[in-house]
Amino acid sequence: MATRKRKPGKDAETLAKLIEDIDIAMLTTVGPGGDLVSRPLSTQKAQFDGERVWFFVASDSPKVAEIRRNGKVNLAYASQSRNTYVSLAGDARINTDRAKIEAFWNDALKAFFPGGIDDPTLTLLEVQVRTAEYWDGPGSLIGKAVAFAVARVTGREEVMGENRIIDMRGRKTSRLPPSHADARGGAKKTPARKAAAKKGAAKKTAAKKGTAKKGTAKKGAANPT
C-alpha cells in the first residue's frame, strides 16, 4: 500500500495506525454479472494520507477488467490479534504513471512480478477513498472476554470497542454509524430498558381498558333499558 505524501487529519491518522500492520486486504469489486467478487491483496508499506490507497496489480488480471467496467470497490482489513477491523469504500482506477511505480516499487514484489520493475504487466491500482468504517476493540484475550461479558450482561455494545465512520471527502471527521441509536440522537435501548418499556406499555393498555369498562358501566346506569 502507498499514498501521496501529505499531512492527514486526526481521524485519518487513527485509520492509518489501525491498518499499518495489516499485511493483507480483501479487495471487493463488481463482477461481470453484477455479483461482488473478493480477493486478497498484499499491501505495500507506506503511510495512509486519508485520500488514496495504492496497490500493485497485473494489468491482465480479472480485477483490472472488472474495475475498468465499474470502479466502485471496497477494501477490508482485519487483525484478529489486535481485534481491529477496517472497511474502506472508494473509487478505483488503473494508474500507469512510471514515476509512481518507481517510487512505490520494492524488490519483494518480484515474487508476484518476476520481470521486476520492468515487468510488462506491472501497473498500479489507485483507490480514492470515499468513506471508512472501523471497529477497534480490546486487544488482549482477557480484555476481549471481559468486554464480551459486560456487553452481554448490560446490553452496552460500546464496551466491545469503538465503531466509527469517517467521510474522507469532506472534513474527515468521524461519527457513529446510522445503525447506532446515539447517532440519531436517541438513547440506546438495552435489554433492561426494552423490558421496562414493554412493561410500561402493558400497564398503559390495562389502564385504558379499565377506564373504558368504568365508562361503559356508568353509561349503563344512567340509561337503563
Side-chain angles (χ1 to χ4, degrees):
M1 179 185 70
T3 58
R4 287 181 179 178
K5 290 183 178 181
R6 62 180 294 262
K7 188 176 180 180
K10 182 178 179 180
D11 288 311
E13 288 179 350
T14 297
L15 204 59
K17 290 178 182 179
L18 292 176
I19 67 177
E20 66 181 353
D21 293 326
I22 303 176
D23 181 48
I24 302 297
M26 291 297 293
L27 170 71
T28 300
T29 57
V30 180
D35 294 327
L36 300 180
V37 183
S38 298
R39 78 281 287 166
L41 282 181
S42 180
T43 61
Q44 307 306 310
K45 297 298 181 183
Q47 188 175 9
F48 174 61
D49 70 350
E51 287 190 0
R52 292 176 176 82
V53 183
W54 303 80
F55 296 90
F56 279 107
V57 296
S59 59
D60 57 355
S61 64
K63 55 182 166 288
V64 169
E66 291 162 2
I67 287 168
R68 291 190 190 280
R69 284 191 297 266
N70 189 329
K72 302 298 182 185
V73 301
N74 183 268
L75 290 165
Y77 296 81
S79 173
Q80 185 177 8
S81 62
R82 289 194 287 121
N83 200 20
T84 297
Y85 308 90
V86 178
S87 175
L88 305 179
D91 302 296
R93 73 183 186 94
I94 305 307
N95 190 314
T96 57
D97 187 320
R98 188 66 187 178
K100 283 186 171 59
I101 289 176
E102 292 178 354
F104 298 151
W105 173 262
N106 68 79
D107 287 338
L109 291 166
K110 288 183 179 179
F112 304 97
F113 301 97
I117 196 169
D118 295 316
D119 193 300
T121 67
L122 181 66
T123 189
L124 283 169
L125 173 61
E126 175 188 339
V127 180
Q128 174 78 50
V129 181
R130 289 183 286 105
T131 60
E133 183 169 4
Y134 67 86
W135 298 260
D136 187 25
S140 69
L141 184 61
I142 294 176
K144 292 176 186 177
V146 171
F148 178 78
V150 173
R152 186 172 183 179
V153 172
T154 65
R156 293 170 54 209
E157 294 180 6
E158 64 271 19
V159 299
M160 290 299 293
E162 188 176 20
N163 177 203
R164 309 286 291 183
I165 288 180
I166 308 171
D167 186 345
M168 310 306 293
R169 297 167 296 183
R171 297 175 62 186
K172 297 182 177 63
T173 55
S174 63
R175 58 184 170 81
L176 286 170
S179 57
H180 286 52
D182 288 342
R184 297 190 296 270
K188 193 174 184 65
K189 285 188 177 181
T190 64
R193 286 178 180 170
K194 289 179 180 179
K198 188 175 181 181
K199 187 176 180 180
K203 285 183 177 180
K204 286 182 180 180
T205 301
K208 286 182 179 179
K209 288 182 179 180
T211 302
K213 286 182 179 179
K214 288 181 181 179
T216 302
K218 289 181 179 180
K219 185 177 180 180
N223 300 282
T225 56

